[in-house]
Amino acid sequence: MSGLGTTSGPVLVCGEVRTCLLPTRRAVDERTAVRLLRLRADEPVRTSRRPNRHALSPDVLTGVDCRLPTATGAKIRAVGTVAAHAGLVEGRVLQSTAYFSAPAAGPDRRRPWGYYLVRPGSLVPVGRLPGKSVTEGFLTGHQQDQLDIGSIAESLLARISRRHDLLDHDAPLTTTDTSLRWTASPADDGEPASALFTELGSGLRIVELRLPPGTTPVAAATLCEDLALHDWLLTTVGDKLDGLPPGSENQTATMKVLRPLVEHLLHLWMPRARLDRALSPPWEELERHPGFSRQWNTMAQRIRDQLALQNLVRGEVPALS
């Protein structure tokens, strides 16, 4: 795929990432992860073990011919395919991503499907694409007769989660699924890469990215998956800590909350593990405000303090340093 802002490349990339806990008691091993994510017979699941275990499915394509969301209400028809894939982090956290790129303009009339199938993951507008209006409309949310890319990501997530032959559906803790809806457009010459991150209700986040010209849609999607994973971790652990019973009198209830966090989630915090170095500035911006790692470190220390307190109450040596 061509990069953002290149001569033949897209001027806009849009996508949505769904993140959830894999519904199984124990983290799955690499072999099981590959079986879960084998979505196509003609392409393998890609795996890596450094700096953490990660498995990534091949892309699957969904053909669409519909209107794009726009802030102005303009009726912009686009035709092509939406790409979607799933990833599994440390055999524990499942993500699905659906995304598409769009050029600044397309043919004045609809072409045969063959024209679009040779452009996988691209939606070609009929006529010109009002980039700003589509960006704002996509982030705001689709109307009933417009493209719903979130449903494509959700469908893929459900397809994998329903694998009863590989999953026991006995998760060690209850969590809330999150959605990160994002757009990426090329930054102006001399403008650094940036991310405008907004947390909305009901587990929804939106991110508007400005990335270096030449950034591929896949690289933009990888950045957003990284943001979505770490936002999900912050949300999940924060919600569990907020629900802790007050004081130390209910040791059993407190340990029931804390131990699954230590066993299943604390080791997953690893920002930018697979990120293109050129895309570090948006992460650095989020580290300054709202301060992702600072918030995470504070919560991790709170868990350690709570465990140490529980051990002291029982007269035991603290289990965590």
Side-chain angles (χ1 to χ4, degrees), residues 255-288:
M255 295 303 290
K256 188 176 180 179
V257 173
L258 296 180
R259 286 201 180 279
L261 300 182
V262 174
E263 293 174 5
H264 299 282
L265 299 185
L266 285 194
H267 63 290
L268 299 182
W269 188 264
M270 200 175 294
R272 295 180 278 189
R274 291 174 176 80
L275 197 62
D276 186 325
R277 289 187 179 181
L279 302 185
S280 290
W283 246 113
E284 293 166 359
E285 192 174 332
L286 292 171
E287 293 287 29
R288 289 191 295 270

Side-chain angles (χ1 to χ4, degrees), residues 291-311:
F292 271 30
S293 290
R294 185 168 64 249
Q295 183 181 356
W296 177 260
N297 291 335
T298 298
M299 290 193 297
Q301 187 58 52
R302 183 181 171 190
I303 291 172
R304 295 186 180 95
D305 291 345
Q306 285 282 347
L307 288 174
L309 177 61
Q310 296 301 318
N311 289 328

Side-chain angles (χ1 to χ4, degrees), residues 18-155:
R18 300 290 174 98
T19 306
C20 70
L21 188 72
L22 190 69
T24 190
R25 171 59 53 176
R26 299 181 182 277
V28 300
D29 58 21
E30 183 175 299
R31 182 178 179 182
T32 304
V34 169
R35 292 177 63 192
L36 274 171
L37 301 183
R38 187 177 289 129
L39 303 180
R40 292 172 52 176
D42 60 333
E43 287 195 35
V45 174
R46 289 178 289 165
T47 61
S48 60
R49 299 178 182 178
R50 301 288 185 272
N52 58 9
R53 290 196 301 124
H54 185 262
L56 184 67
S57 80
D59 275 352
V60 291
L61 301 176
T62 301
V64 299
D65 180 348
C66 60
R67 289 174 54 194
L68 296 179
T70 59
T72 60
K75 295 182 178 181
I76 305 300
R77 181 185 181 187
V79 187
T81 55
V82 173
H85 58 240
L88 192 57
V89 181
E90 287 287 354
R92 184 75 278 178
V93 180
L94 177 64
Q95 294 185 290
S96 65
T97 303
Y99 67 100
F100 67 89
S101 60
D108 291 335
R109 63 182 64 185
R110 191 193 188 285
R111 296 287 183 87
W113 266 111
Y115 175 86
Y116 304 102
L117 292 178
V118 297
R119 297 167 172 80
S122 178
L123 294 188
V124 182
V126 178
R128 296 196 62 80
L129 180 81
K132 183 177 180 181
S133 180
V134 172
T135 294
E136 295 176 358
F138 183 84
L139 293 175
T140 301
H142 70 283
Q143 301 298 317
Q144 188 172 359
D145 60 343
Q146 297 171 342
L147 174 65
D148 178 10
I149 198 171
S151 67
I152 298 176
E154 183 61 32
S155 176

